[in-house]
Amino acid sequence: MMDFKDEVDVDAVARAGLEKLGYKQEMTRKLNASQPVTLAIMAVPFGLTSPIATSLVGGGPVVMIWGWILVSVLTQTLAFSLAEICSKYPTSAGAYYWCYRLASPRTRLLASWINGWLTVVGGWMVDLSVKFDMIFLGVTAVAGIFCIFFNRLLPTVDIICACWTGLGIIVISICLLAKAAAGRRSVSFALGNFDPTFSGWTPGWSFFIGLLPWDWALNYALAYTFSAIGMIVNMAEEVHNPSEVLPKAIISSVPIGTLTGVVYLLPILLTLPDVTTMLQVSSSQPIGVMFTLIMGSRAGGLGLLFIMFGISMFCSISTSCAGSRATWAFARDKAIPFHRCLSKIGPYLEDVPVNAYALSTVIQVLLGLVYLGSSAAFNAFAGVAVMCLGASYAMPVAISLMNARRDMHDAPFNLDRFGTVINVIAVLWIMFVTVLFSMPAVIPVTTWSMNYASAMFVGFGMIGAAWYMINGQFYYRGPPILEEPTSSSGSSESVPY
């Protein structure tokens, strides 16, 4: 643990590094370690429990446990790839800044514009989906109070979140294994049972279908739990020693999340009630019924749900904070309407981009109200979040690959000779997830079960393109660069992207 003098020295170095990237220090660096923030954003138990109907439809225990491990392994390649780029460019602008620095002069302006809108929309959708899985307006209000008026306490809140999550998993696991009122399952069932008949898809595709969200309430999926690992980058300008801390946080979040998920899932699979009974729940959200059946009483089920609510509440605070920083950073570079207003910090509330946070909240509330008129429309929001964030993560990695990774040779955290293979796997995984999250969970497809994520993804893209034609092409000049890159991406016109 560093003392005050070391902390000041590290902050001075970080401030100088940020100025070299083109920005002045406006936030106070108050985060010593960002792992708790990352864990809060992932909210592993909440993220794994919410899509349980999807997992059961897709095949059951095999999808839940082995699908989780498969997703974790593939996501680790993305985490390594993002950590490498982040170590060189640790700014709250995140992936759109990376695209600008890595792409050629011919294409970097448009690439950063596209990526910035993907990042901002993805952040809004992730935050919206977390809040909407609970008491929507109430949770939005509570998260706003913490993020605006208690911003200086966010490091403490994140530590409390980590403790609540760890203790919550222990309590839930002990309670489920001790009660098991619905009966106990064998280890072979928990690790090997696979029944794809509920989905209507072929067994192989049904397994992957179990990784995506299904029905309006299931705003998380196995792949979705890790979809926000890069959002911590938007807090870069509030972290001590970001070039070292952020890469470690991104990389370690996956194995920590994986272990947390396995420990949480196994007791559920060993005490899983009848699958048909759970899938017949009218709300298509069997979490409460599952806990009630296993605990043998409604009171026991509510007790476990309260623990889950706490985890999701902490998650909402973290995603709200990160999403507002993404909005603020993009406004700072004049890419959002009313950017002068949205890029202001304070002045009465220190370190809080209040206007950017307000915009993010208003948009989420308006989109949330769509559910009142069309559950099918809201059904796509979670998929859009994964697709937008995934695409925003993949773009700088893909550009780096097209540049033969020449820009990464001097990155403080370097993947060295393994970089190309790791980057390729990460990009291919994101491409596959994008297709996967556009698919309906069950066939035959009806108006109710149709997945409109791809349509909404294209819709948001058209809005971003329209704003670029109306305003962006005249005012957006990309992130400021005080030190022009010396590698091929900034000096060569022959670079393909």
Side-chain angles (χ1 to χ4, degrees), residues 279-299:
L279 292 180
Q280 289 176 345
V281 176
S282 59
S283 66
S284 297
Q285 177 58 291
I287 304 173
V289 172
M290 180 187 73
F291 282 152
T292 299
L293 290 175
I294 297 176
M295 295 301 294
S297 69
R298 183 169 296 180

PDB file of all heavy atoms in Angstrom, residues 279-299:
ATOM      1  N   LEU A 279     -39.737 -23.332 -16.086  1.00  0.00           N
ATOM      2  CA  LEU A 279     -39.970 -22.703 -17.379  1.00  0.00           C
ATOM      3  C   LEU A 279     -41.439 -22.354 -17.609  1.00  0.00           C
ATOM      4  O   LEU A 279     -41.762 -21.641 -18.554  1.00  0.00           O
ATOM      5  CB  LEU A 279     -39.475 -23.614 -18.509  1.00  0.00           C
ATOM      6  CG  LEU A 279     -37.963 -23.804 -18.601  1.00  0.00           C
ATOM      7  CD1 LEU A 279     -37.602 -24.726 -19.756  1.00  0.00           C
ATOM      8  CD2 LEU A 279     -37.254 -22.462 -18.757  1.00  0.00           C
ATOM      9  N   GLN A 280     -42.320 -22.849 -16.743  1.00  0.00           N
ATOM     10  CA  GLN A 280     -43.743 -22.539 -16.867  1.00  0.00           C
ATOM     11  C   GLN A 280     -44.149 -21.295 -16.082  1.00  0.00           C
ATOM     12  O   GLN A 280     -45.317 -20.918 -16.075  1.00  0.00           O
ATOM     13  CB  GLN A 280     -44.580 -23.730 -16.392  1.00  0.00           C
ATOM     14  CG  GLN A 280     -44.530 -24.928 -17.342  1.00  0.00           C
ATOM     15  CD  GLN A 280     -45.282 -26.130 -16.805  1.00  0.00           C
ATOM     16  OE1 GLN A 280     -45.615 -26.197 -15.612  1.00  0.00           O
ATOM     17  NE2 GLN A 280     -45.545 -27.093 -17.674  1.00  0.00           N
ATOM     18  N   VAL A 281     -43.180 -20.639 -15.432  1.00  0.00           N
ATOM     19  CA  VAL A 281     -43.472 -19.415 -14.688  1.00  0.00           C
ATOM     20  C   VAL A 281     -43.998 -18.361 -15.659  1.00  0.00           C
ATOM     21  O   VAL A 281     -43.398 -18.119 -16.714  1.00  0.00           O
ATOM     22  CB  VAL A 281     -42.206 -18.894 -13.973  1.00  0.00           C
ATOM     23  CG1 VAL A 281     -42.480 -17.568 -13.289  1.00  0.00           C
ATOM     24  CG2 VAL A 281     -41.733 -19.929 -12.964  1.00  0.00           C
ATOM     25  N   SER A 282     -45.100 -17.722 -15.327  1.00  0.00           N
ATOM     26  CA  SER A 282     -45.759 -16.796 -16.240  1.00  0.00           C
ATOM     27  C   SER A 282     -44.883 -15.614 -16.630  1.00  0.00           C
ATOM     28  O   SER A 282     -44.973 -15.093 -17.735  1.00  0.00           O
ATOM     29  CB  SER A 282     -47.063 -16.274 -15.622  1.00  0.00           C
ATOM     30  OG  SER A 282     -46.804 -15.619 -14.383  1.00  0.00           O
ATOM     31  N   SER A 283     -44.039 -15.178 -15.721  1.00  0.00           N
ATOM     32  CA  SER A 283     -43.175 -14.031 -16.012  1.00  0.00           C
ATOM     33  C   SER A 283     -41.948 -14.419 -16.818  1.00  0.00           C
ATOM     34  O   SER A 283     -41.175 -13.563 -17.233  1.00  0.00           O
ATOM     35  CB  SER A 283     -42.715 -13.373 -14.704  1.00  0.00           C
ATOM     36  OG  SER A 283     -41.879 -14.262 -13.981  1.00  0.00           O
ATOM     37  N   SER A 284     -41.737 -15.730 -17.041  1.00  0.00           N
ATOM     38  CA  SER A 284     -40.545 -16.252 -17.723  1.00  0.00           C
ATOM     39  C   SER A 284     -39.263 -15.892 -16.982  1.00  0.00           C
ATOM     40  O   SER A 284     -38.189 -15.892 -17.557  1.00  0.00           O
ATOM     41  CB  SER A 284     -40.472 -15.728 -19.167  1.00  0.00           C
ATOM     42  OG  SER A 284     -41.564 -16.186 -19.915  1.00  0.00           O
ATOM     43  N   GLN A 285     -39.389 -15.564 -15.705  1.00  0.00           N
ATOM     44  CA  GLN A 285     -38.240 -15.237 -14.871  1.00  0.00           C
ATOM     45  C   GLN A 285     -38.326 -16.089 -13.612  1.00  0.00           C
ATOM     46  O   GLN A 285     -38.938 -15.708 -12.619  1.00  0.00           O
ATOM     47  CB  GLN A 285     -38.250 -13.750 -14.522  1.00  0.00           C
ATOM     48  CG  GLN A 285     -37.122 -13.300 -13.585  1.00  0.00           C
ATOM     49  CD  GLN A 285     -35.757 -13.603 -14.152  1.00  0.00           C
ATOM     50  OE1 GLN A 285     -35.380 -14.763 -14.244  1.00  0.00           O
ATOM     51  NE2 GLN A 285     -34.999 -12.589 -14.511  1.00  0.00           N
ATOM     52  N   PRO A 286     -37.697 -17.279 -13.642  1.00  0.00           N
ATOM     53  CA  PRO A 286     -37.890 -18.253 -12.560  1.00  0.00           C
ATOM     54  C   PRO A 286     -36.949 -18.117 -11.368  1.00  0.00           C
ATOM     55  O   PRO A 286     -36.874 -19.037 -10.551  1.00  0.00           O
ATOM     56  CB  PRO A 286     -37.647 -19.575 -13.275  1.00  0.00           C
ATOM     57  CG  PRO A 286     -36.623 -19.246 -14.302  1.00  0.00           C
ATOM     58  CD  PRO A 286     -36.932 -17.837 -14.759  1.00  0.00           C
ATOM     59  N   ILE A 287     -36.241 -17.005 -11.255  1.00  0.00           N
ATOM     60  CA  ILE A 287     -35.279 -16.883 -10.160  1.00  0.00           C
ATOM     61  C   ILE A 287     -35.963 -17.027  -8.812  1.00  0.00           C
ATOM     62  O   ILE A 287     -35.541 -17.820  -7.957  1.00  0.00           O
ATOM     63  CB  ILE A 287     -34.555 -15.517 -10.218  1.00  0.00           C
ATOM     64  CG1 ILE A 287     -33.885 -15.314 -11.563  1.00  0.00           C
ATOM     65  CG2 ILE A 287     -33.533 -15.406  -9.097  1.00  0.00           C
ATOM     66  CD1 ILE A 287     -33.313 -13.935 -11.749  1.00  0.00           C
ATOM     67  N   GLY A 288     -37.021 -16.231  -8.606  1.00  0.00           N
ATOM     68  CA  GLY A 288     -37.718 -16.275  -7.326  1.00  0.00           C
ATOM     69  C   GLY A 288     -38.313 -17.627  -7.043  1.00  0.00           C
ATOM     70  O   GLY A 288     -38.233 -18.136  -5.917  1.00  0.00           O
ATOM     71  N   VAL A 289     -38.920 -18.249  -8.054  1.00  0.00           N
ATOM     72  CA  VAL A 289     -39.510 -19.583  -7.885  1.00  0.00           C
ATOM     73  C   VAL A 289     -38.426 -20.593  -7.572  1.00  0.00           C
ATOM     74  O   VAL A 289     -38.599 -21.468  -6.707  1.00  0.00           O
ATOM     75  CB  VAL A 289     -40.284 -19.989  -9.152  1.00  0.00           C
ATOM     76  CG1 VAL A 289     -40.737 -21.441  -9.062  1.00  0.00           C
ATOM     77  CG2 VAL A 289     -41.483 -19.074  -9.362  1.00  0.00           C
ATOM     78  N   MET A 290     -37.298 -20.497  -8.247  1.00  0.00           N
ATOM     79  CA  MET A 290     -36.195 -21.429  -8.006  1.00  0.00           C
ATOM     80  C   MET A 290     -35.714 -21.345  -6.562  1.00  0.00           C
ATOM     81  O   MET A 290     -35.587 -22.373  -5.868  1.00  0.00           O
ATOM     82  CB  MET A 290     -35.039 -21.122  -8.959  1.00  0.00           C
ATOM     83  CG  MET A 290     -33.835 -22.050  -8.785  1.00  0.00           C
ATOM     84  SD  MET A 290     -32.415 -21.553  -9.780  1.00  0.00           S
ATOM     85  CE  MET A 290     -31.851 -20.093  -8.870  1.00  0.00           C
ATOM     86  N   PHE A 291     -35.444 -20.121  -6.084  1.00  0.00           N
ATOM     87  CA  PHE A 291     -34.981 -19.965  -4.707  1.00  0.00           C
ATOM     88  C   PHE A 291     -36.048 -20.426  -3.710  1.00  0.00           C
ATOM     89  O   PHE A 291     -35.732 -21.054  -2.697  1.00  0.00           O
ATOM     90  CB  PHE A 291     -34.615 -18.505  -4.441  1.00  0.00           C
ATOM     91  CG  PHE A 291     -33.281 -18.100  -4.992  1.00  0.00           C
ATOM     92  CD1 PHE A 291     -33.034 -16.778  -5.359  1.00  0.00           C
ATOM     93  CD2 PHE A 291     -32.255 -19.019  -5.139  1.00  0.00           C
ATOM     94  CE1 PHE A 291     -31.799 -16.387  -5.859  1.00  0.00           C
ATOM     95  CE2 PHE A 291     -31.016 -18.646  -5.643  1.00  0.00           C
ATOM     96  CZ  PHE A 291     -30.794 -17.329  -6.009  1.00  0.00           C
ATOM     97  N   THR A 292     -37.312 -20.130  -3.984  1.00  0.00           N
ATOM     98  CA  THR A 292     -38.391 -20.528  -3.080  1.00  0.00           C
ATOM     99  C   THR A 292     -38.508 -22.041  -3.002  1.00  0.00           C
ATOM    100  O   THR A 292     -38.666 -22.616  -1.913  1.00  0.00           O
ATOM    101  CB  THR A 292     -39.729 -19.917  -3.538  1.00  0.00           C
ATOM    102  OG1 THR A 292     -39.631 -18.491  -3.506  1.00  0.00           O
ATOM    103  CG2 THR A 292     -40.869 -20.362  -2.632  1.00  0.00           C
ATOM    104  N   LEU A 293     -38.434 -22.713  -4.143  1.00  0.00           N
ATOM    105  CA  LEU A 293     -38.541 -24.179  -4.165  1.00  0.00           C
ATOM    106  C   LEU A 293     -37.360 -24.832  -3.441  1.00  0.00           C
ATOM    107  O   LEU A 293     -37.537 -25.809  -2.701  1.00  0.00           O
ATOM    108  CB  LEU A 293     -38.612 -24.673  -5.606  1.00  0.00           C
ATOM    109  CG  LEU A 293     -39.899 -24.352  -6.376  1.00  0.00           C
ATOM    110  CD1 LEU A 293     -39.769 -24.790  -7.838  1.00  0.00           C
ATOM    111  CD2 LEU A 293     -41.097 -25.030  -5.721  1.00  0.00           C
ATOM    112  N   ILE A 294     -36.172 -24.301  -3.665  1.00  0.00           N
ATOM    113  CA  ILE A 294     -34.989 -24.896  -3.020  1.00  0.00           C
ATOM    114  C   ILE A 294     -35.005 -24.644  -1.517  1.00  0.00           C
ATOM    115  O   ILE A 294     -34.674 -25.540  -0.723  1.00  0.00           O
ATOM    116  CB  ILE A 294     -33.696 -24.332  -3.633  1.00  0.00           C
ATOM    117  CG1 ILE A 294     -33.595 -24.707  -5.113  1.00  0.00           C
ATOM    118  CG2 ILE A 294     -32.470 -24.877  -2.884  1.00  0.00           C
ATOM    119  CD1 ILE A 294     -32.402 -24.120  -5.825  1.00  0.00           C
ATOM    120  N   MET A 295     -35.401 -23.442  -1.106  1.00  0.00           N
ATOM    121  CA  MET A 295     -35.425 -23.101   0.312  1.00  0.00           C
ATOM    122  C   MET A 295     -36.643 -23.689   1.024  1.00  0.00           C
ATOM    123  O   MET A 295     -36.663 -23.791   2.257  1.00  0.00           O
ATOM    124  CB  MET A 295     -35.404 -21.588   0.499  1.00  0.00           C
ATOM    125  CG  MET A 295     -34.117 -20.919   0.018  1.00  0.00           C
ATOM    126  SD  MET A 295     -32.642 -21.549   0.856  1.00  0.00           S
ATOM    127  CE  MET A 295     -32.955 -20.982   2.536  1.00  0.00           C
ATOM    128  N   GLY A 296     -37.670 -24.029   0.281  1.00  0.00           N
ATOM    129  CA  GLY A 296     -38.842 -24.640   0.890  1.00  0.00           C
ATOM    130  C   GLY A 296     -39.802 -23.650   1.506  1.00  0.00           C
ATOM    131  O   GLY A 296     -40.765 -24.047   2.168  1.00  0.00           O
ATOM    132  N   SER A 297     -39.591 -22.367   1.327  1.00  0.00           N
ATOM    133  CA  SER A 297     -40.491 -21.345   1.865  1.00  0.00           C
ATOM    134  C   SER A 297     -40.327 -20.053   1.096  1.00  0.00           C
ATOM    135  O   SER A 297     -39.257 -19.781   0.541  1.00  0.00           O
ATOM    136  CB  SER A 297     -40.213 -21.094   3.350  1.00  0.00           C
ATOM    137  OG  SER A 297     -38.955 -20.467   3.525  1.00  0.00           O
ATOM    138  N   ARG A 298     -41.394 -19.267   1.076  1.00  0.00           N
ATOM    139  CA  ARG A 298     -41.336 -17.979   0.392  1.00  0.00           C
ATOM    140  C   ARG A 298     -40.382 -17.024   1.114  1.00  0.00           C
ATOM    141  O   ARG A 298     -39.680 -16.235   0.482  1.00  0.00           O
ATOM    142  CB  ARG A 298     -42.733 -17.370   0.317  1.00  0.00           C
ATOM    143  CG  ARG A 298     -42.802 -16.058  -0.452  1.00  0.00           C
ATOM    144  CD  ARG A 298     -44.237 -15.646  -0.708  1.00  0.00           C
ATOM    145  NE  ARG A 298     -44.922 -16.607  -1.565  1.00  0.00           N
ATOM    146  CZ  ARG A 298     -46.185 -16.485  -1.949  1.00  0.00           C
ATOM    147  NH1 ARG A 298     -46.921 -15.454  -1.527  1.00  0.00           N
ATOM    148  NH2 ARG A 298     -46.727 -17.393  -2.740  1.00  0.00           N
ATOM    149  N   ALA A 299     -40.357 -17.098   2.436  1.00  0.00           N
ATOM    150  CA  ALA A 299     -39.465 -16.233   3.206  1.00  0.00           C
ATOM    151  C   ALA A 299     -38.001 -16.516   2.872  1.00  0.00           C
ATOM    152  O   ALA A 299     -37.184 -15.603   2.717  1.00  0.00           O
ATOM    153  CB  ALA A 299     -39.718 -16.408   4.704  1.00  0.00           C
TER     154      ALA A 299
END
